[in-house]
Structure formats: structure tokens, C-alpha cells
Amino acid sequence: MHEPHTEPLLHGVMAEFRTPEALLEAIGAAKAAGFTKLDAYTPYPIEKVLDALDLHHSKLPLLVLGASIVGAVGVFGFAYWASAIDYPLNIGGRPLNSWPAFIPATFEGAIFHGGLAAALGMLLLNGLPRPNHPVFNVQRFVEHASKDGYFLVVESDDPKFDGPSVRRFLESLAPVEVNEVEN
Amino acid sequence: MSTTYDGARGADPIAQAPVLAPGHTPASVTERISEVVTTKLTKTPKWWLLGLAIGFGLLNLFLLAVTNLFMTGIGIWGNNVPVGWGWDIVCFVWWIGIGHAGTLISAILLLLRQSWRNSINRFAEAMTVFAVACAGMYPILHLGRPWLPYWLLPVPGTLNMWPNFRSPLIWDVFAVSTYATISIVFWYVGMLPDLATLRDHAKAKFARFAYGMAALGWRNSARHWANYEAASLLLAGLSTPLVLSVHSIVSFDFSVGIVPGWHTTVFPPYFVAGAVFAGFAMVLTLVLPLRPLFKLKDFITDRHLQNMAKVMLTTGLIVAYGYVLEIWAAFYSGNEFEIFMVLNRFTGPYAVQYWLLILCNILVPQLLWFRQVRSNVWALWVIAMFINVGMWLERFVIIVVSLSRDYVPSNWAMYHGTKWDMAVFAGTIGLFLTLLLLFLRFLPALNMFEMRVLTPEATKAHGEEK
């Protein structure tokens, strides 16, 4: 603990709660106490937790829109270039740029790129793949986070973070257990 | 779990049945579902081994049939002029259609916030992926020179030319490959949190490692869930038009052609409805036996069976409407070839197949109007089997009846599938069964995190939001 600012020993302090309601109350109390770097861990998505942590600003929709436009323009552009410029082919006297016939492939191109962007973008924004993470150092987290435990972590990069006092604060919220999350 | 009185539902006890049996908590749901996967290999149920043996046996028949096909050529099949499309395209369309119920359940019902889908969506998505894998075999096998499928893709090469973007067959390549890709992505993204659950709860060290790698480090963080929920909705929003486009484009393979009985605008909607009809029949065919085998009656309740039966009845009526419209359009057109095509279906050499199709797809499903039938698992299974057969016959009638007797009588010829056609079809069923059974045993077949959402504890937390 000589140089806590350069390489913090703690990722944060974690409190476990038995119900979603208790977790929500704890989030409210932590925000009221001035903590800002909070993360919650729940075995299923809970809208109210996302609301409480103000997490409804995913950049994903924009990313997907962008990728879909790129896909659509790319496929249409390619179909036009291939059919009208690079290798003009007269099929039954139809115009070389017979654009309505290019629409099905264009549409699929938009969906293809949008869908991949949704999946890969979700992983990117979540910092995945990342097989290991400090929270897995807490045994009860491993056992319950994906089953029936509701966890709140005050992270150590919070300006108000100070291990022992955060621990005392979380213990005052009637948790199941409080653990320091080691880095 | 609604306890409010609903006039329309009041008389029907099943419609009020819960989508999750009472008394479950997030922990009990997790344990019951992951138990199927985390059971020791030596304790694998016998029925599973038997099923895998059958599936794997048929898969080997597939390899045999395909080896012969590659060595001899597609002459071993019944296809010949004038019937260039036979069992191969019939089965291709049949499999693709089956896949569509999976996308409907996972995407469209998600957008419509139908929470009863939560327990069957994973299974249905897996069914989609495997059905598309089976479907994908056929166009490539049918090429005649199956080492050249990349000619269909716009890749630069010594050929020095590009695919014809005006051709429905190229649209089909784009549609089916996009559908396969997005279905796999949707399925995998949907499984991430459950793979993380298995990582945390598997007993064997290797299993923990394998599921851990597959879960990509998912840790149920609220920050993850925020992006995850956005991704799910976006994928559902993209898959919905995708599934409609795929079967529309498959129907363009026919309707853009000028063969009598094919060249009609009713094809896209009626193909899509038929696909959903067939897909729900296949979901029921598989779910009904799996429910007792895996002891999943708490999660797949009578309410699910009831709802699926109703979707089948509805889409079946749309299909019936399509059949009626085909006949009407032929007579309304006044075109002698179209009119002949309809009369030829009624009384020609393939009349047996046509009337069997009407029996399987229109008459038998009408039994689903009766609540007693909808709540009887045996009756439901038999009806679903009728529909599976009926939808296969539908594609047979569309493809073969029209091709075997088109414009010039001197060009007419009968078509019969050969034993090799049957071997390939049985083989794709083997591929499907093998993949499905491996999935059931080693991956979470029911969506655990979405089932946790249905527990009283979670519904209380969700309150009245949205």
C-alpha cells in the first residue's frame, strides 16, 4: 500500500445483496453518498438497475446504423460496378443498371453488416473477450453472480474511494457479505 | 402469472396457466436447467445415446450418398429434363422454412414482448441454425460440380466475371448466407450469459475452462447488460425483416420464373406463412418428447403448447388462403396454361400428393380449433407430424407438378425421386438430429437468464416499468 495511486491494490469493494430491491436501495444510498464509479452485477438484466446507474446511453444503435449503411451502399455499389462498368452484360435487353434487381442483395448486405456490428460492437463496448477480471477473485461472486446474487461494486477509481471507509459504508446497507476485490 | 380477469381468456384454464410453474427462484431455475448440461458424461441418459446413434447412423448414410453423388454425378437422383428441380430443392425449401419459426420465436416475439417465448427461444434458435445447415447442403450438392460454389460469390478470380445480380439464384445466395450468419450470431450472443453460468457452475475442470472461453469473460455487469440489451433488440430488429426477406427471396426463385403455377405475386407472403407454419410444427414435434425426457414441464408449460398450436392454426389458415388464391388467380387470369396447371394438380398424375397436401395442411390442422385437442400432447404431436409431411408435399406439388407438365405436351415427363434422393434426405435428418442432440447435452438448451426474469422475485423487481 505504498503507492496506491499508481497501481491500486484494490479493484473496488463489493457488497452482495439478497434481492434486487436491496441492491436498488444500495445503489441509491451509494449515489447519495457521492460515489460515482459504481457497477452492479445481476444474474439477469434489470431495467431499474440500468436506470439507477444511468446506463441507457449505449452507442450500439449508431454503430449498427453506420454498419448497415456501409453494407447497403457497398453491396449496391458493387452490384452496379460489376454489372454496368466492369463487365457489362446484356441480360434480356434490360438496362445495365437494372437497380430494382440489385435491391435484394443490397438489403441482405445491410442486414449482414448491421447484425455483425451489433454482436461485435456489443463485445467491443463491453471490453470482451476478457476471460479474467478482478471480480472473479471473490469466491461468493463466482458462486452466485450468475445465479441468485445481486452485487454492488464501488470501484477504486472513484474520487471518494478509500478502502476501509467504503467497506464501513457498504456494511451499513445490510448486505449478505462485503469483500475487497483485489486486482 | 396474470391473475386479473380477462373476459376472452376467462373460460380457458390453459390460457391462464403460468409460463413458469410456481415456486421457482432464479437459483432453482439455474440449477434445473444447467443440471442437464453439467451431468457427468457417464450418467448420460440412455435415450440420448440411442437418439445420437440413430442420428449419427443417418449422418453416415448422408456421407455415403454424397460420396456416391460426387463420384457418379447428379444422375443418381431423379432430376432430369424437364424436371430439373426435384427432391433437392423440395428439401432445401422445407428445411429453410423450418428454420423460420426459430427466428420468429426469438426475434419477432421478443419485439412484441411475449415473455412466454423465453423458455423456448434458445431451442428454437438452435433449430434454426441446424435446419439452415441442412438446407445449405442442397444447393451445393445440386451444383453438379460441388467444388465450385464460390462461383456464386462475388470473389475476384481467374473466371474474370461477376455473378449476375439480376438473378434470383444470386439473391438466394445472399439471403441464405446472411440468414445463416445472423442466426448463428443471434444464437451465440443469446447464449453468452448462460455460458458464463455454466463456467461458474460446471464441476469438471475442462468444462469450466471450455465454457469460460466460450463465455468470453461475461460477468453479468450492469454495464454489460446495458449494451447487451441494446444488441438483443437490434439483432431482433434486424432478424425480423431478414426472416421475411429470406423466404420471400426463396419464393422469388420460383415466382420470377415463367413456369405455370410459379409466376404469381402471392408467393412471398404465402411462403413466409408456410415457413412459420412448418417451423412451429417442427418445434412441437421436438419439444413434446423432450419435455418429459428432460423433465422440463415446469418451464415449457401447457400454455406454451397452447400458444404454439394457435400460431400454427393461424399461419395454417394463411397458407390455406394462399392455396385458394392460387386457384382463383389461375382462373381469373384466363391463361389456359395456368388453368391447366390447377386442373392438373386436382386430377393429374400427382393428384394423390395434392390431395394429401390439402388433407395435411388444411383439413387436419382445423382440429386445433378445439381446446381439448390443443391440450392433448399426443394429438398435438400427430397434427404437427401431419404438417411436417404436408409442408414437404406442398413444395413437391409446387415444384414437380408444374415442371413435369409445362407448355409443350411433347416435353412432358414424370418425375420420381430415387433411393439416393431419399438417402440424402434421410441423411440431412441425421445431420439435424446429431447436431440437435449434441446441443441439448452440451449447451444450455433453455435460456437461463431469461427464465430468471420470469421468476416472481424478478417480476417484482421489474415492477410496472415500460
Side-chain angles (χ1 to χ4, degrees), chain B residues 47-60 433-434 437:
Chain B
W47 64 263
W48 186 88
L49 290 171
L50 180 72
L52 189 69
I54 296 171
F56 193 66
L58 288 173
L59 181 57
N60 280 285
L433 269 181
T434 307
L437 286 164

Side-chain angles (χ1 to χ4, degrees), chain B residues 156-347:
Chain B
T158 50
L159 209 60
N160 225 358
M161 58 189 285
W162 302 111
N164 175 17
F165 283 93
R166 302 172 188 92
S167 162
L169 296 182
I170 289 301
W171 305 346
D172 214 17
V173 171
F174 275 79
V176 173
S177 56
T178 299
Y179 188 48
T181 312
I182 299 302
S183 297
I184 291 169
V185 164
F186 200 176
W187 183 52
Y188 184 64
V189 166
M191 257 189 314
L192 271 184
D194 285 356
L195 290 168
T197 302
L198 290 173
R199 170 198 65 204
D200 297 344
H201 299 289
K203 292 168 199 98
K205 203 170 175 201
F206 174 75
R208 280 207 304 271
F209 172 78
Y211 290 125
M213 284 296 130
L216 305 176
W218 181 265
R219 51 182 192 274
N220 299 299
S221 149
R223 288 173 199 159
H224 285 187
W225 284 124
N227 288 317
Y228 186 87
E229 291 275 271
S232 297
L233 274 178
L234 286 163
L235 278 170
L238 289 166
S239 299
T240 301
L242 174 64
V243 69
L244 299 178
S245 80
V246 171
H247 230 59
S248 297
I249 289 177
V250 168
S251 83
F252 290 159
D253 289 345
F254 302 96
S255 58
V256 172
I258 50 162
V259 176
W262 291 10
H263 196 56
T264 153
T265 49
V266 77
F267 263 34
Y270 135 61
F271 264 54
V272 171
V276 174
F277 185 48
F280 269 86
M282 188 52 94
V283 174
L284 275 177
T285 308
L286 300 169
V287 157
L288 287 172
L290 289 174
R291 210 168 67 120
L293 286 171
F294 276 131
K295 304 185 180 66
L296 295 175
K297 284 189 185 169
D298 282 5
F299 305 138
I300 302 173
T301 66
D302 290 342
R303 170 95 168 271
H304 293 96
L305 305 184
Q306 169 97 338
N307 284 358
M308 287 194 268
K310 286 178 179 171
V311 175
M312 252 171 23
L313 180 60
T314 312
T315 48
L317 288 172
I318 300 175
V319 170
Y321 179 70
Y323 296 161
V324 173
L325 214 64
E326 270 188 320
I327 299 166
W328 180 82
F331 285 99
Y332 183 70
S333 75
N335 180 311
E336 62 179 303
F337 298 106
E338 292 285 342
I339 294 170
F340 171 77
M341 180 277 301
V342 166
L343 297 176
N344 186 38
R345 280 188 187 173
F346 289 169
T347 59

